[in-house]
Amino acid sequence: MADTLHIHNTLSRTKEKFKPLDPSNVRMYVCGPTVYDFAHLGNARPVVVFDLLYRLLKRLYPRVTYVRNITDVDDKIMARAKESGVAIDVITTGTTKAFHDDMAALNALPPDIEPRATAYIAPMIALTQELLDKGHAYVAEGHVLFDVTSMPNYGALSRRTRDELIAGARVEVAPYKKDSADFVLWKPSAADEQGWESPWGRGRPGWHIECSAMARQHLGVTFDIHGGGLDLIFPHHENEIAQSTCAHDGAPLAQYWMHNGFLMVNGEKMSKSLGNFFTVRELLVGAPGEALRLALLASQYRQPLDFTLKALSDARAVLDKWYGALFAAEVEPADSETPSPALDAALLDDLNTPMAIEHMHELANALSRAATPAEQATLKGQLIAAGAALGLLQQDRDAWMKGLLRGTAAEGLIATSIELRHKARKAKNFADADLIRNDLKAQGIELEDAAQGTTWRFRPDLEKLLGGKTVTSTSTSSAASGGDGVQVYRQGIVTALETLVSQLGAKY
Ligand code: AMP
Ligand code: ZN
């Protein structure tokens, strides 16, 4: 199976057969977040896409080393600290924890190694010094700059012309640059700025050198796959290539470069600067992480993907259907480890998730119609295995139905409400029975009456919850403290249920 994995390589602009340098240890580096604020759903797209690839590689090869860094030194972080009065390490620690929690909610496995940039200052200084020694960099006014004219094929990844490279670097135009496309490896820090001693004075690393140094430390000079979002091709990845290749006498940094397309909102990239974003945690109030994940996998990773609340509630409904088919089939699944060949064929073809999802629909439909227990067992096993390959369908009934109300005071209150409704119906007081159903529904709790009794599931109205959101930037103090809306939201539901139960409790 392994020899049939094909991935699109940004370097060649073609789909290529994947051949690892060392099949006994496949090595992958993905650029991680700059930790100054909560992740929005666009930031989660590369995490989920490369998690999918990681899961696939782990099935294909005995060992995979997946490195994803944390950028915890950056001008945006320093600006946040200044404007909020919160210490830098409080911001970065709190934001890192929030990022971990959010990505875990999306079923993204943690990478094998997660280097934090500030713990690698010495290797960054060493790499910068090597570039100076080899004549690929120069010192100017306390800065160390990479000399792009020293690298004949600079720009090969992004395929930018010399004029485009200059235009792209324009933001960094400075009088001390020899060439306007030169970029910073090290820059000086003012006394009140984050900084470290170096041969060029007290300063801090440029963003690009961080990844080159951390990747070398953990994956060696050349590794297999380097990934990130489309916007990282230039300048970030172009510059990582320039630094590493020049320091290593022409040895390539990575064999395959993979880039995910953008998550879009009304035709524009979801981004902090446009303010058109939903943070992962605010969406988690209204929808299970698994629904967010399925929504992110709905398009093939290289394509742009439109985000709407409708798409998210559709993803939740799809999962309800798939889980429903699994829960209804009361047989032990046959092999639930090995996905069907059709599922693997889709994933092996450059992670064709739309095709994989289509196949899961077929499996779920076939499972619902299956005539014999043997057929049910086979299909149930295949659906669970397909789910595992995509990072979906691994929850039990209770967890899936109750979502974030599971294990809270709401559970007992809902059980009491259901009892009260039962008593009201017995007393032929249908107005009270309807009132209870409607009050629960208003909190997103749906009742379902069946022969065995009444069950419930938590399905809040996403449009009602989040549709009216006027987008404001999330505040650092709450990101730093790991604060989230879930607690407050749950408490609101508990309070409403308490009111309902105390109003009707006395009557029945
Ligand atoms: P940033 O915090 O902007 O550096 O982004 C962190 C990661 O998220 C990078 O890999 C970006 O390419 C990726 N990213 C940011 N916005 C989006 C988006 N709207 N869609 C997909 N990926 C994104
Ligand atoms: Zn990077």
Side-chain angles (χ1 to χ4, degrees):
M1 188 175 129
D3 62 341
T4 56
L5 173 60
H6 286 73
I7 52 182
H8 183 272
N9 191 347
T10 308
L11 263 180
S12 65
R13 302 289 195 275
T14 57
K15 213 190 295 189
E16 296 177 20
K17 189 174 180 149
F18 178 65
K19 284 195 228 94
L21 292 162
D22 172 8
S24 70
N25 182 17
V26 173
R27 289 162 291 156
M28 170 162 86
Y29 187 98
V30 175
C31 297
T34 301
V35 282
Y36 68 101
D37 209 340
F38 291 129
H40 61 65
L41 193 62
N43 299 136
R45 192 172 188 202
V47 175
V48 167
V49 162
F50 289 100
D51 177 66
L52 177 70
L53 178 61
Y54 181 45
R55 286 169 187 262
L56 180 61
L57 291 170
K58 277 161 88 78
R59 286 198 290 125
L60 299 176
Y61 298 97
R63 184 172 159 212
V64 181
T65 306
Y66 174 21
V67 180
R68 188 185 64 213
N69 70 290
I70 296 276
T71 293
D72 60 350
V73 45
D74 182 88
D75 289 1
K76 280 186 277 219
I77 300 175
M78 293 198 304
R80 273 301 164 91
K82 220 170 206 167
E83 77 199 23
S84 65
V86 179
I88 285 178
D89 61 332
V90 174
I91 293 176
T92 57
T93 307
T95 309
T96 302
K97 162 129 192 3
F99 177 76
H100 286 160
D101 291 349
D102 292 348
M103 297 310 123
L106 300 179
N107 280 348
L109 302 169
D112 296 287
I113 303 166
E114 191 177 52
R116 285 171 34 246
T118 52
Y120 294 77
I121 300 295
M124 293 170 198
I125 290 174
L127 185 54
T128 303
Q129 187 63 54
E130 285 168 47
L131 288 167
L132 280 166
D133 294 346
K134 292 187 174 178
H136 290 292
Y138 58 96
V139 180
E141 296 181 24
H143 293 72
V144 184
L145 291 135
F146 185 90
D147 176 359
V148 296
T149 61
S150 75
M151 186 191 191
N153 57 346
Y154 177 70
L157 178 72
S158 60
R159 300 193 178 178
R160 290 194 177 211
T161 63
R162 168 95 190 127
D163 285 348
E164 289 166 341
L165 288 169
I166 292 172
R170 203 169 34 209
V171 275
E172 276 185 63
V173 161
Y176 47 80
K177 283 187 184 179
K178 281 201 225 161
D179 187 290
S180 48
D182 291 349
F183 59 89
V184 164
L185 301 173
W186 186 265
K187 59 184 151 192
S189 291
D192 64 342
E193 288 179 330
Q194 214 176 1
W196 292 264
E197 289 308 326
S198 81
W200 320 286
R202 188 173 168 281
R204 57 190 189 280
W207 174 35
H208 319 305
I209 199 79
E210 295 176 12
C211 287
S212 282
M214 291 185 280
R216 175 167 77 174
Q217 188 90 0
H218 291 291
L219 298 175
V221 167
T222 305
F223 50 91
D224 298 298
I225 299 170
H226 194 314
L230 198 63
D231 51 344
L232 299 189
I233 296 176
F234 184 85
H236 187 52
H237 288 166
E238 196 74 78
N239 293 349
E240 280 187 38
I241 289 175
Q243 296 160 161
S244 297
T245 312
C246 289
H248 303 140
D249 306 321
L253 174 57
Q255 303 279 81
Y256 301 86
W257 288 80
M258 293 174 72
H259 295 97
N260 64 270
F262 292 139
L263 186 70
M264 312 289 284
V265 182
N266 298 324
E268 287 183 306
K269 177 192 173 192
M270 181 181 281
S271 72
K272 291 252 162 73
S273 54
L274 288 174
N276 61 350
F277 62 90
F278 282 104
T279 63
V280 171
R281 52 188 46 203
E282 67 194 339
L283 291 170
L284 285 173
V285 166
E290 206 175 324
L292 291 174
R293 183 176 176 104
L294 178 59
L296 287 173
L297 294 175
S299 288
Q300 200 264 358
Y301 74 92
R302 297 180 55 227
Q303 305 305 318
L305 169 59
D306 269 313
F307 177 74
T308 58
L309 290 174
K310 168 83 168 55
L312 182 54
S313 67
D314 288 350
R316 186 174 64 185
V318 166
L319 288 166
D320 263 331
K321 196 169 163 227
W322 291 350
Y323 270 119
L326 288 176
F327 300 149
E330 287 170 347
V331 291
E332 273 301 304
D335 179 4
S336 56
E337 306 271 307
T338 322
S340 59
L343 192 282
D344 277 336
L347 294 181
L348 290 167
D349 182 13
D350 200 25
L351 305 176
N352 189 337
T353 49
M355 199 185 259
I357 290 168
E358 190 50 45
H359 180 61
M360 289 174 77
H361 277 296
E362 285 163 15
L363 286 174
N365 289 338
L367 175 59
S368 300
R369 287 192 311 259
T372 66
E375 208 184 327
Q376 278 190 333
T378 304
L379 289 163
K380 188 172 179 178
Q382 285 191 349
L383 186 54
I384 293 173
L390 271 80
L392 303 168
L393 296 182
Q394 306 304 302
Q395 300 189 52
D396 64 20
R397 181 198 291 261
D398 200 58
W400 175 249
M401 298 299 236
K402 295 177 178 170
L404 51 80
L405 296 186
R406 190 159 84 134
T408 71
E411 279 195 281
L413 290 162
I414 295 167
T416 308
S417 307
I418 290 173
E419 250 170 63
L420 288 171
R421 174 166 165 267
H422 187 65
K423 286 179 182 163
R425 285 168 124 192
K426 263 195 158 161
K428 303 235 180 298
N429 195 339
F430 297 111
D432 280 351
D434 286 348
L435 175 86
I436 293 170
R437 176 187 274 278
N438 292 337
D439 271 18
L440 291 177
K441 175 88 183 142
Q443 299 303 322
I445 300 147
E446 293 175 355
L447 299 185
E448 199 168 314
D449 295 313
Q452 305 93 314
T454 302
T455 56
W456 61 273
R457 53 185 191 175
F458 182 55
R459 293 293 175 271
D461 182 337
L462 281 173
E463 195 54 52
K464 215 171 88 192
L465 254 183
L466 296 164
K469 179 192 160 174
T470 46
V471 178
T472 47
S473 181
T474 45
S475 85
T476 303
S477 51
S478 57
S481 66
D484 61 83
V486 174
Q487 217 84 320
V488 179
Y489 176 56
R490 272 200 200 116
Q491 193 47 52
I493 293 175
V494 167
T495 306
L497 293 172
E498 280 169 350
T499 308
L500 174 70
V501 165
S502 72
Q503 270 171 3
L504 291 174
K507 204 163 158 186
Y508 296 98

